Amino acid sequence: MDNIQKYFENTQKPWSKLFYQMIWNHLKFVQSKNVLDFGSGFGITANSLARHNHVIAIEPNEVMLRLRVRENEYEQLIGGLELLEQFPDNHFDLIACHNVLEYVDNKEDYIKEFSRVLKKNGVLSLVKHNHLGRIMQRVVFENNIELAIKEVDGQQTLSESFGEIKYYEEEQIKKWADQYLLKIDQLLGIRTFFGLVQDNQIKFNETWQEKMLEMELKISNIESFSKIAFYHHVLLSK
């Protein structure tokens, strides 16, 4: 519970605020749609999308659900892949799966089900850790060169709240997309510069936050920058 509580408190910090603001900006085209937030965690994205959409959220972690955000109305289900299998084909306009597949072994099973329940011309929104960006942050922001070397060598990386991070790359997504009738439309970077700024105090300045958000959004779709972003937001269509 302590780790989950700490994780929840971190969602209020500037780095998380920027993360969510960028995702919501990327998804601002989603209006009056039938939406699934799979692995919804604290319900932050589900709550935001529920302002203008019908949202179903699925999350297996009951501790996280006790803390979930519920300012807007959305349907919360407790479970995982077994719940996804109960939905009919071609059901959702948008499926959001953000920072989830790093923590499962059978990633392809999830992509297969997402494709099945996604409508024609629907959108799958995947947010994933970018291994290269994480290594950059270890060296530049954290000055933890020893850990960065271990990550370059492929040694296990742990999340304080969720255990081992099982990275997956764009090549795997392309393979799954081809197999399950999906097409990668955009690969967007999230937090390219933010984690490289060593002055943590300035990150709490609202004016600075606004300018950093503007900058991050401006370069999020430029490949040279997205390669070193901390997260990747991959948008696929069916």
mmCIF file of all heavy atoms in Angstrom, residues 2 7 14 35 39 50 65 68 70 81 88 98 123 127 140-141 169 173 178 188-189 208 216 230 238:
data_model
loop_
_atom_site.group_PDB
_atom_site.id
_atom_site.type_symbol
_atom_site.label_atom_id
_atom_site.label_comp_id
_atom_site.label_asym_id
_atom_site.label_seq_id
_atom_site.Cartn_x
_atom_site.Cartn_y
_atom_site.Cartn_z
ATOM 1 N N ASP A 2 1.989 1.235 0.734
ATOM 2 C CA ASP A 2 2.841 2.419 0.833
ATOM 3 C C ASP A 2 3.376 2.826 -0.528
ATOM 4 O O ASP A 2 3.393 4.016 -0.870
ATOM 5 C CB ASP A 2 4.005 2.158 1.796
ATOM 6 C CG ASP A 2 3.531 2.095 3.240
ATOM 7 O OD1 ASP A 2 2.402 2.536 3.507
ATOM 8 O OD2 ASP A 2 4.290 1.592 4.089
ATOM 9 N N TYR A 7 3.105 6.368 -5.236
ATOM 10 C CA TYR A 7 2.908 6.494 -6.675
ATOM 11 C C TYR A 7 1.758 7.455 -6.973
ATOM 12 O O TYR A 7 1.842 8.290 -7.881
ATOM 13 C CB TYR A 7 2.639 5.114 -7.269
ATOM 14 C CG TYR A 7 2.481 5.068 -8.766
ATOM 15 C CD1 TYR A 7 3.369 5.733 -9.605
ATOM 16 C CD2 TYR A 7 1.446 4.335 -9.353
ATOM 17 C CE1 TYR A 7 3.228 5.689 -10.987
ATOM 18 C CE2 TYR A 7 1.291 4.283 -10.729
ATOM 19 C CZ TYR A 7 2.185 4.963 -11.533
ATOM 20 O OH TYR A 7 2.038 4.909 -12.894
ATOM 21 N N PRO A 14 4.902 17.857 -10.982
ATOM 22 C CA PRO A 14 4.983 18.482 -12.310
ATOM 23 C C PRO A 14 5.295 17.512 -13.438
ATOM 24 O O PRO A 14 4.779 17.663 -14.548
ATOM 25 C CB PRO A 14 6.110 19.514 -12.145
ATOM 26 C CG PRO A 14 6.110 19.845 -10.694
ATOM 27 C CD PRO A 14 5.745 18.567 -9.996
ATOM 28 N N VAL A 35 -15.204 4.669 -25.404
ATOM 29 C CA VAL A 35 -13.784 4.571 -25.048
ATOM 30 C C VAL A 35 -13.552 3.481 -24.009
ATOM 31 O O VAL A 35 -14.343 3.325 -23.067
ATOM 32 C CB VAL A 35 -13.270 5.926 -24.504
ATOM 33 C CG1 VAL A 35 -11.854 5.801 -23.955
ATOM 34 C CG2 VAL A 35 -13.335 6.989 -25.589
ATOM 35 N N GLY A 39 -6.229 -0.942 -18.033
ATOM 36 C CA GLY A 39 -5.131 -0.713 -17.101
ATOM 37 C C GLY A 39 -5.210 0.720 -16.614
ATOM 38 O O GLY A 39 -4.241 1.466 -16.642
ATOM 39 N N ALA A 50 -13.678 11.080 -19.874
ATOM 40 C CA ALA A 50 -15.109 10.980 -19.570
ATOM 41 C C ALA A 50 -15.825 12.326 -19.636
ATOM 42 O O ALA A 50 -17.057 12.373 -19.613
ATOM 43 C CB ALA A 50 -15.307 10.357 -18.187
ATOM 44 N N LEU A 65 -7.542 1.357 -7.143
ATOM 45 C CA LEU A 65 -8.925 1.776 -7.355
ATOM 46 C C LEU A 65 -9.496 2.516 -6.148
ATOM 47 O O LEU A 65 -10.395 3.345 -6.297
ATOM 48 C CB LEU A 65 -9.792 0.572 -7.699
ATOM 49 C CG LEU A 65 -9.514 -0.058 -9.070
ATOM 50 C CD1 LEU A 65 -10.402 -1.262 -9.297
ATOM 51 C CD2 LEU A 65 -9.699 0.959 -10.180
ATOM 52 N N ARG A 68 -8.805 6.128 -6.825
ATOM 53 C CA ARG A 68 -9.041 6.610 -8.196
ATOM 54 C C ARG A 68 -9.780 7.952 -8.238
ATOM 55 O O ARG A 68 -10.583 8.280 -7.358
ATOM 56 C CB ARG A 68 -9.802 5.557 -9.002
ATOM 57 C CG ARG A 68 -11.254 5.352 -8.656
ATOM 58 C CD ARG A 68 -11.834 4.217 -9.506
ATOM 59 N NE ARG A 68 -13.197 3.883 -9.100
ATOM 60 C CZ ARG A 68 -14.278 4.370 -9.699
ATOM 61 N NH1 ARG A 68 -14.166 5.190 -10.710
ATOM 62 N NH2 ARG A 68 -15.485 4.005 -9.285
ATOM 63 N N ARG A 70 -12.522 10.403 -9.693
ATOM 64 C CA ARG A 70 -13.872 10.164 -10.210
ATOM 65 C C ARG A 70 -14.690 11.457 -10.255
ATOM 66 O O ARG A 70 -15.860 11.495 -9.889
ATOM 67 C CB ARG A 70 -14.572 9.091 -9.364
ATOM 68 C CG ARG A 70 -14.628 9.395 -7.889
ATOM 69 C CD ARG A 70 -15.224 8.234 -7.118
ATOM 70 N NE ARG A 70 -14.211 7.273 -6.733
ATOM 71 C CZ ARG A 70 -14.469 6.098 -6.151
ATOM 72 N NH1 ARG A 70 -15.711 5.737 -5.927
ATOM 73 N NH2 ARG A 70 -13.496 5.279 -5.818
ATOM 74 N N LEU A 81 -7.429 -9.114 -18.671
ATOM 75 C CA LEU A 81 -7.682 -9.618 -20.011
ATOM 76 C C LEU A 81 -8.979 -10.416 -20.091
ATOM 77 O O LEU A 81 -9.682 -10.383 -21.099
ATOM 78 C CB LEU A 81 -6.498 -10.495 -20.459
ATOM 79 C CG LEU A 81 -6.508 -11.001 -21.896
ATOM 80 C CD1 LEU A 81 -6.493 -9.847 -22.886
ATOM 81 C CD2 LEU A 81 -5.322 -11.932 -22.146
ATOM 82 N N PRO A 88 -17.982 -7.568 -27.218
ATOM 83 C CA PRO A 88 -18.189 -8.009 -28.606
ATOM 84 C C PRO A 88 -17.154 -7.395 -29.551
ATOM 85 O O PRO A 88 -16.469 -6.427 -29.210
ATOM 86 C CB PRO A 88 -19.602 -7.495 -28.923
ATOM 87 C CG PRO A 88 -19.783 -6.320 -28.023
ATOM 88 C CD PRO A 88 -19.045 -6.651 -26.757
ATOM 89 N N HIS A 98 -2.015 2.552 -21.379
ATOM 90 C CA HIS A 98 -0.875 3.414 -21.075
ATOM 91 C C HIS A 98 -0.020 2.843 -19.943
ATOM 92 O O HIS A 98 -0.505 2.641 -18.828
ATOM 93 C CB HIS A 98 -1.370 4.805 -20.695
ATOM 94 C CG HIS A 98 -2.124 5.488 -21.803
ATOM 95 N ND1 HIS A 98 -2.921 6.594 -21.596
ATOM 96 C CD2 HIS A 98 -2.189 5.216 -23.140
ATOM 97 C CE1 HIS A 98 -3.449 6.977 -22.755
ATOM 98 N NE2 HIS A 98 -3.023 6.152 -23.695
ATOM 99 N N VAL A 123 -9.121 3.829 -32.938
ATOM 100 C CA VAL A 123 -7.734 4.171 -32.589
ATOM 101 C C VAL A 123 -7.308 3.429 -31.324
ATOM 102 O O VAL A 123 -8.053 3.388 -30.341
ATOM 103 C CB VAL A 123 -7.580 5.690 -32.376
ATOM 104 C CG1 VAL A 123 -6.179 6.026 -31.869
ATOM 105 C CG2 VAL A 123 -7.863 6.442 -33.676
ATOM 106 N N VAL A 127 0.872 3.891 -24.697
ATOM 107 C CA VAL A 127 1.975 4.651 -24.123
ATOM 108 C C VAL A 127 2.936 3.658 -23.500
ATOM 109 O O VAL A 127 2.522 2.772 -22.748
ATOM 110 C CB VAL A 127 1.498 5.681 -23.081
ATOM 111 C CG1 VAL A 127 2.695 6.361 -22.414
ATOM 112 C CG2 VAL A 127 0.608 6.728 -23.731
ATOM 113 N N VAL A 140 21.966 11.857 -17.325
ATOM 114 C CA VAL A 140 21.953 13.317 -17.297
ATOM 115 C C VAL A 140 21.285 13.865 -16.042
ATOM 116 O O VAL A 140 21.827 14.722 -15.356
ATOM 117 C CB VAL A 140 21.265 13.879 -18.554
ATOM 118 C CG1 VAL A 140 21.224 15.400 -18.503
ATOM 119 C CG2 VAL A 140 21.990 13.409 -19.804
ATOM 120 N N PHE A 141 20.074 13.365 -15.743
ATOM 121 C CA PHE A 141 19.312 13.912 -14.619
ATOM 122 C C PHE A 141 19.711 13.274 -13.295
ATOM 123 O O PHE A 141 19.964 13.957 -12.307
ATOM 124 C CB PHE A 141 17.819 13.729 -14.877
ATOM 125 C CG PHE A 141 16.956 14.186 -13.732
ATOM 126 C CD1 PHE A 141 16.891 15.529 -13.394
ATOM 127 C CD2 PHE A 141 16.215 13.281 -12.994
ATOM 128 C CE1 PHE A 141 16.106 15.962 -12.340
ATOM 129 C CE2 PHE A 141 15.431 13.707 -11.937
ATOM 130 C CZ PHE A 141 15.370 15.046 -11.610
ATOM 131 N N GLU A 169 9.749 -2.739 -27.988
ATOM 132 C CA GLU A 169 10.160 -1.700 -28.915
ATOM 133 C C GLU A 169 9.179 -1.561 -30.072
ATOM 134 O O GLU A 169 8.283 -2.378 -30.261
ATOM 135 C CB GLU A 169 11.577 -1.992 -29.441
ATOM 136 C CG GLU A 169 12.618 -2.183 -28.348
ATOM 137 C CD GLU A 169 12.773 -0.961 -27.432
ATOM 138 O OE1 GLU A 169 12.456 0.165 -27.878
ATOM 139 O OE2 GLU A 169 13.194 -1.128 -26.275
ATOM 140 N N ILE A 173 5.826 -3.676 -32.046
ATOM 141 C CA ILE A 173 4.502 -3.110 -32.300
ATOM 142 C C ILE A 173 4.164 -3.236 -33.784
ATOM 143 O O ILE A 173 3.039 -3.588 -34.152
ATOM 144 C CB ILE A 173 4.441 -1.639 -31.851
ATOM 145 C CG1 ILE A 173 4.697 -1.526 -30.346
ATOM 146 C CG2 ILE A 173 3.077 -1.033 -32.192
ATOM 147 C CD1 ILE A 173 4.741 -0.100 -29.836
ATOM 148 N N ASP A 178 0.889 -5.539 -38.072
ATOM 149 C CA ASP A 178 0.728 -6.250 -39.346
ATOM 150 C C ASP A 178 -0.110 -7.511 -39.168
ATOM 151 O O ASP A 178 -0.922 -7.858 -40.027
ATOM 152 C CB ASP A 178 2.100 -6.615 -39.927
ATOM 153 C CG ASP A 178 2.869 -5.401 -40.424
ATOM 154 O OD1 ASP A 178 2.233 -4.354 -40.652
ATOM 155 O OD2 ASP A 178 4.100 -5.503 -40.566
ATOM 156 N N LEU A 188 4.805 9.443 -31.062
ATOM 157 C CA LEU A 188 5.027 10.746 -30.447
ATOM 158 C C LEU A 188 5.870 10.613 -29.187
ATOM 159 O O LEU A 188 5.693 9.682 -28.400
ATOM 160 C CB LEU A 188 3.685 11.388 -30.102
ATOM 161 C CG LEU A 188 2.709 11.550 -31.278
ATOM 162 C CD1 LEU A 188 1.297 11.789 -30.767
ATOM 163 C CD2 LEU A 188 3.156 12.675 -32.184
ATOM 164 N N GLY A 189 6.776 11.543 -28.992
ATOM 165 C CA GLY A 189 7.591 11.550 -27.784
ATOM 166 C C GLY A 189 6.880 12.262 -26.648
ATOM 167 O O GLY A 189 6.169 13.238 -26.862
ATOM 168 N N TRP A 208 6.923 28.380 -16.152
ATOM 169 C CA TRP A 208 7.904 27.477 -16.759
ATOM 170 C C TRP A 208 7.209 26.214 -17.268
ATOM 171 O O TRP A 208 7.513 25.730 -18.359
ATOM 172 C CB TRP A 208 8.973 27.119 -15.724
ATOM 173 C CG TRP A 208 10.080 26.270 -16.271
ATOM 174 C CD1 TRP A 208 11.262 26.698 -16.810
ATOM 175 C CD2 TRP A 208 10.126 24.839 -16.322
ATOM 176 N NE1 TRP A 208 12.038 25.630 -17.203
ATOM 177 C CE2 TRP A 208 11.358 24.474 -16.912
ATOM 178 C CE3 TRP A 208 9.255 23.832 -15.929
ATOM 179 C CZ2 TRP A 208 11.734 23.145 -17.113
ATOM 180 C CZ3 TRP A 208 9.621 22.504 -16.134
ATOM 181 C CH2 TRP A 208 10.843 22.174 -16.718
ATOM 182 N N GLU A 216 7.487 20.871 -25.534
ATOM 183 C CA GLU A 216 7.394 19.418 -25.658
ATOM 184 C C GLU A 216 6.389 19.027 -26.749
ATOM 185 O O GLU A 216 6.632 18.114 -27.537
ATOM 186 C CB GLU A 216 6.993 18.794 -24.317
ATOM 187 C CG GLU A 216 8.058 18.864 -23.238
ATOM 188 C CD GLU A 216 9.024 17.671 -23.272
ATOM 189 O OE1 GLU A 216 8.942 16.859 -24.214
ATOM 190 O OE2 GLU A 216 9.843 17.569 -22.352
ATOM 191 N N PHE A 230 11.320 10.206 -22.869
ATOM 192 C CA PHE A 230 11.210 9.230 -21.784
ATOM 193 C C PHE A 230 10.110 8.211 -22.061
ATOM 194 O O PHE A 230 10.240 7.037 -21.722
ATOM 195 C CB PHE A 230 10.926 9.965 -20.465
ATOM 196 C CG PHE A 230 11.139 9.118 -19.253
ATOM 197 C CD1 PHE A 230 12.414 8.726 -18.876
ATOM 198 C CD2 PHE A 230 10.079 8.723 -18.463
ATOM 199 C CE1 PHE A 230 12.618 7.939 -17.748
ATOM 200 C CE2 PHE A 230 10.273 7.939 -17.335
ATOM 201 C CZ PHE A 230 11.544 7.545 -16.985
ATOM 202 N N LYS A 238 -7.291 0.994 -36.996
ATOM 203 C CA LYS A 238 -7.729 -0.299 -37.547
ATOM 204 C C LYS A 238 -8.307 -0.103 -38.937
ATOM 205 O O LYS A 238 -9.106 0.827 -39.127
ATOM 206 C CB LYS A 238 -8.774 -0.922 -36.619
ATOM 207 C CG LYS A 238 -9.240 -2.294 -37.048
ATOM 208 C CD LYS A 238 -10.160 -2.878 -36.014
ATOM 209 C CE LYS A 238 -10.711 -4.233 -36.443
ATOM 210 N NZ LYS A 238 -11.657 -4.804 -35.477
#
